[in-house]
Amino acid sequence: MSNVLKTGLLLAVLTVMLVLLGGAIGGRQGMMLAFILALAMNFASYWWSDKIVLAMYRAQPITEAQAPGLYNMVRRLATKAGVPMPRVYLIPTEQPNAFATGRNPEHAVVAVTEGIMRILDDDELEGVLAHELAHVVNRDILISTIAATLAGAITYLAHMAQWTAIFGGGRHSDDEDSPSPISMMLMAIVAPLAALLVQMAVSRSREFQADATGAHLAGRTWGLSKALEKLEMGSRAVPMDASPATAHLFIVNPLSGRTLMKLFSTHPPMEERIARLRAMRLGA
């Protein structure tokens, strides 16, 4: 099964969960409203995902005059990948990290933190930028953002269903279309976990693919593998006020310093990512 088909199926599962939760809250009318909500959120994510995420992290555009070396790397890698030069943004945080966003290669953005610019050498930074451009080439950025948006909506509706059940919502004797409070509570517990697992499935497989594609773009594996080691340590040492809904967009989990978040990490184990890169044996 192709990655595109797998991702389509996973996003379909998220949409179905959202509709079922709507039904748990408001019966058939709730299902219809939830379906309309899912379509609206997909539409908004498609057109404005980059602006929303950049604003969340107070990212600012950086010019070529301000960072000529960074621009040269991005331009060289974009040319090699056959995609337009993306916009480049700087995130004002000391945690070393980076992400890519945008609805397609023509509207892509690569954002790096102030911290990553300080701790990585040129080869390591090029490996990170190649990884982010790989997400652009593979069209991961839109898929990941839509998955995050739908998963967030499912969690929100699940909380609504839970409180509705607690305060007497649900089936009435004269309303056979409404679900029972027990079924509402079950959906409220299961749906957020299922949505998180689906989002993890989208993100983890794509991180492995972006690592491999990025290594081919850079022409070597050791730059990215060394960068990942530094970024893993940096993300643990320097906290970042990141949203769990967007954590999967970053090259390393910005929430990795929080013990509970490790149980539901949207990123593959760092040791496995590095081992796969070293096994590729590209370049010197």
Side-chain angles (χ1 to χ4, degrees):
M1 186 183 296
S2 69
N3 285 330
V4 174
L5 181 56
K6 287 179 181 178
T7 302
L9 289 174
L10 290 172
L11 294 179
V13 169
L14 282 173
T15 301
V16 170
M17 288 180 188
L18 190 61
V19 172
L20 290 177
L21 266 174
I25 296 174
R28 292 179 182 175
Q29 184 178 7
M31 292 179 71
M32 180 58 66
L33 290 175
F35 181 69
I36 294 173
L37 174 64
L39 293 179
M41 296 183 74
N42 281 330
F43 179 84
S45 295
Y46 181 83
W47 289 104
W48 302 301
S49 61
D50 55 339
K51 295 179 177 62
I52 294 171
V53 174
L54 292 170
M56 286 179 61
Y57 294 103
R58 297 180 290 113
Q60 297 296 321
I62 186 170
T63 66
E64 186 169 6
Q66 293 173 305
L70 177 64
Y71 260 76
N72 286 336
M73 285 184 190
V74 175
R75 183 179 292 111
R76 182 171 64 252
L77 291 168
T79 300
K80 188 174 182 179
V83 296
M85 173 71 182
R87 290 173 290 156
V88 182
Y89 276 68
L90 186 66
I91 305 170
T93 179
E94 286 301 312
Q95 184 183 98
N97 226 318
F99 68 80
T101 185
R103 65 180 182 270
N104 54 38
E106 289 72 30
H107 298 85
V109 174
V110 172
V112 297
T113 66
E114 293 177 346
I116 204 172
M117 297 291 292
R118 291 193 178 98
I119 73 167
L120 298 187
D121 62 30
D122 287 348
D123 291 330
E124 294 162 351
L125 181 59
E126 186 175 46
V128 169
L129 295 172
H131 171 98
E132 297 307 328
L133 280 171
H135 280 306
V136 175
V137 172
N138 297 334
R139 295 182 179 268
D140 296 340
I141 47 180
L142 176 62
I143 292 168
S144 297
T145 303
I146 292 177
T149 303
L150 288 175
I154 289 169
T155 302
Y156 175 75
L157 285 181
H159 287 311
M160 288 183 60
Q162 183 179 13
W163 287 111
T164 300
I166 290 173
F167 290 106
R171 187 188 298 269
H172 299 283
S173 59
D174 58 347
D175 186 3
E176 296 182 358
D177 187 47
S178 297
S180 68
I182 294 177
S183 65
M184 293 175 68
M185 287 294 292
L186 183 62
M187 286 292 292
I189 295 171
V190 173
L193 179 59
L196 180 59
L197 291 174
V198 171
Q199 187 179 348
M200 286 167 58
V202 172
S203 179
R204 290 190 176 199
S205 62
R206 303 232 168 232
E207 286 302 309
F208 285 131
Q209 186 177 9
D211 285 343
T213 304
H216 281 289
L217 280 177
R220 54 185 176 271
T221 62
W222 56 265
L224 179 56
S225 62
K226 288 173 60 181
L228 290 176
E229 290 177 334
K230 287 186 177 181
L231 297 181
E232 176 77 353
M233 290 186 292
S235 66
R236 293 177 179 177
V238 182
M240 183 177 182
D241 186 18
S243 166
T246 58
H248 66 285
L249 296 176
F250 289 85
I251 187 170
V252 297
N253 189 355
L255 306 173
S256 61
R258 307 179 193 178
T259 304
L260 183 60
M261 289 295 105
K262 293 179 182 179
L263 299 176
F264 301 102
S265 176
T266 55
H267 292 68
M270 188 59 69
E271 297 80 5
E272 187 174 353
R273 292 177 68 182
I274 294 173
R276 289 193 183 197
L277 282 168
R278 289 174 175 169
M280 290 176 63
R281 301 186 184 278
L282 292 181

